[in-house]
Every structure is written in structure tokens, then in C-alpha cells.
Amino acid sequence: MLDLSLPESNRIETVKKFRKAHTFIPFVVLTGLDDEDMGLKAIENGAQDFLIKNKIHDDILARSIYYALQRFALEKQAFEAQQELDRILSSIPNYVWSAKIDKEGNFKHAYYSPIVEKITGRPPSFYMEGAHNLLSTIHPADRSRMESLVNKIQSLDTNAEEVSYRIILPDNNIRWLHDSVTITRLSDGSARADGIVSDITERKKLESLKDEFVSVISHEIRTPLTVLQGAVSNLSDNILGEINERQRKVLKIADNNIHRLSNIINNLLDIS
């Protein structure tokens, strides 16, 4: 029992401090005659039940304690289940998020897995404050596109979306993310949005290296090879003067090798 009507009690602050110090101890709050609102606030801050002092009877007290113990047992189970869920989600490289969208289109984040802090440098509580915090981390070049996506989700104009974008980390480094979003419409007219976010920074680096490789192959090798092929062709066709049979055989070998190398380059570019 926690009596909030005692002179030394700091009312709701007392409830918060008790809950913080004794996470796994159920308690019932005692309030004064006119403190029913305070009792409800106490429940919001961790109490299992409240009783008004002048209205306590043996059966009410017993029932309150019994239901407080039952509620606390359920709360503890839910807390342990959440801890286990967080542990499992922290063991995978991606983070998940969930949001609720009411019938008016208001968007409110409901969950972010703890691994989000490892990937983005910001804790779940940062993102739970609202979509504006997420958008504030988006790279300027991608921000308008992400704002359009958020509006599209809020208005329920989509069932699923795939999007890649850059975020700016707290240390100002850039990281690429890929978000797979699914929208589930509920019977009451509201909806739920669920996302799985992957860090694709390394993949983007590889894509950049691939593009650089293609550019080198295309411009630094294939272009001079084409010029060389033309020169060999001109020599073989006697455009630059008569050649003997031995020279023609050497040019033929060169031409065959040029064609073979050109085919290899084209195949590499096709694969890329």
C-alpha cells in the first residue's frame, strides 16, 4: 500500500519513484476523499489499483489486492514478452518499426526495435516522437521523396512500398537504408503500417565500384580497342599501302584477337 495523503508524500512523484525503485513489486495507492483523479494518474504511472481512504471496506480491500496481483502478473508477463521480443529483434541485422494510422490519417509510431540505435545512431525514443524526427535525419536530396511517401502512407493510397534513401548520422556520416513497408487496413477504418529496414550502405558502395568499373571498361578500354580494330582493318584493306602475305597473316591474327577481346568486354558489360 502506498498512501499519497501523508504529509511527506509528493503524490505522483512518489508513485514514479516507487515504481522506478521497485519494478517488480505490485502496489495499491491510497488517496483522499477528493483524489479520485490522482488515483487514476497513479495507475497510469505504475500502480495496479487505487482506493479512496474513507470508502475502504474489508471486501473492497481484499478484492483490490487480488485484482492488483492479477494485473501485475499480466503486466510482468507482457514486460518479459517485450524483453524477449527486443532480444530476438536485436540479434538480427535489420530493425523493424510499426505505426498506427487513425481514421483521420494521423500517423503515430508504436514501436521501434532496439537495433535502430546501432544502425542510425539514434534510440527508439527519438523516432517515437513522430515522423518529423525521422524526416529530419533524411539526406536533403531524398527528403522530398520521403515526405511524399509518408503522406501516401497516411492517406492509405498504397498497400506496400519499397524505398531506398540516405540518412545523416549524428557524426554527419551518410548511411543508405532500404525500407519495406506493408499497410494493413483494420475493420474500424484505421490502419497499421509495418516496416523492415536494412542497412544497404555496403551494397551501394559495391554498386558504385561496379559503375566505375563499367565506365573504365567502356571508355578506357573499349574506345581505344575500336580505334585499333579500325587501324588493322585499314591495313588489311591496303588503304595505307600494299602489304605482303606474311603481313596480312599477322594482321589477321591481330584482328581475331581484337574481336575476341571485344566480345569479352561486351560480355563483362552485359553481366554488369
Side-chain angles (χ1 to χ4, degrees), residues 84-100:
E84 179 65 11
L85 175 62
D86 288 343
R87 185 191 67 79
I88 294 172
L89 292 176
S90 295
S91 67
I92 60 177
N94 306 328
Y95 72 82
V96 301
W97 61 269
S98 181
K100 296 178 181 178

Side-chain angles (χ1 to χ4, degrees), residues 149-168:
L149 177 62
V150 170
N151 292 332
K152 192 174 182 181
I153 292 173
Q154 286 180 302
S155 58
L156 301 181
D157 286 340
T158 181
N159 292 321
E161 292 289 336
E162 299 275 343
V163 60
S164 297
Y165 57 92
R166 287 160 291 182
I167 64 167
I168 302 174

Side-chain angles (χ1 to χ4, degrees), residues 217-257:
I217 291 293
S218 180
H219 299 290
E220 302 300 326
I221 298 179
R222 189 163 64 175
T223 300
L225 192 64
T226 301
V227 173
L228 182 59
Q229 187 176 21
V232 170
S233 178
N234 288 339
L235 288 171
S236 298
D237 293 339
N238 298 321
I239 293 176
L240 301 178
E242 291 291 333
I243 59 173
N244 58 42
E245 193 60 31
R246 183 181 177 185
Q247 291 170 330
R248 192 175 301 280
K249 288 180 180 179
V250 171
L251 289 172
K252 181 64 175 178
I253 293 171
D255 188 58
N256 289 338
N257 286 329

Side-chain angles (χ1 to χ4, degrees), residues 17-84:
K17 289 178 180 178
F18 184 89
R19 172 51 71 218
K20 185 176 181 179
H22 307 285
T23 306
F24 295 110
I25 296 180
F27 66 97
V28 175
V29 165
L30 295 179
T31 70
L33 181 62
D34 299 322
D35 278 350
E36 186 169 340
D37 288 342
M38 183 60 62
L40 294 173
K41 288 180 181 179
I43 291 176
E44 292 176 359
N45 286 277
Q48 274 63 56
D49 201 357
F50 75 94
L51 294 171
I52 298 175
K53 271 190 172 183
N54 296 341
K55 296 183 180 180
I56 297 177
H57 304 289
D58 289 347
D59 57 338
I60 292 177
L61 179 60
R63 186 163 61 248
S64 177
I65 292 174
Y66 173 77
Y67 286 131
L69 290 171
Q70 293 298 312
R71 277 195 293 271
F72 182 77
L74 293 173
E75 289 171 4
K76 186 178 179 182
Q77 289 177 11
F79 175 80
E80 291 173 347
Q82 184 64 59
Q83 291 290 97
E84 179 65 11

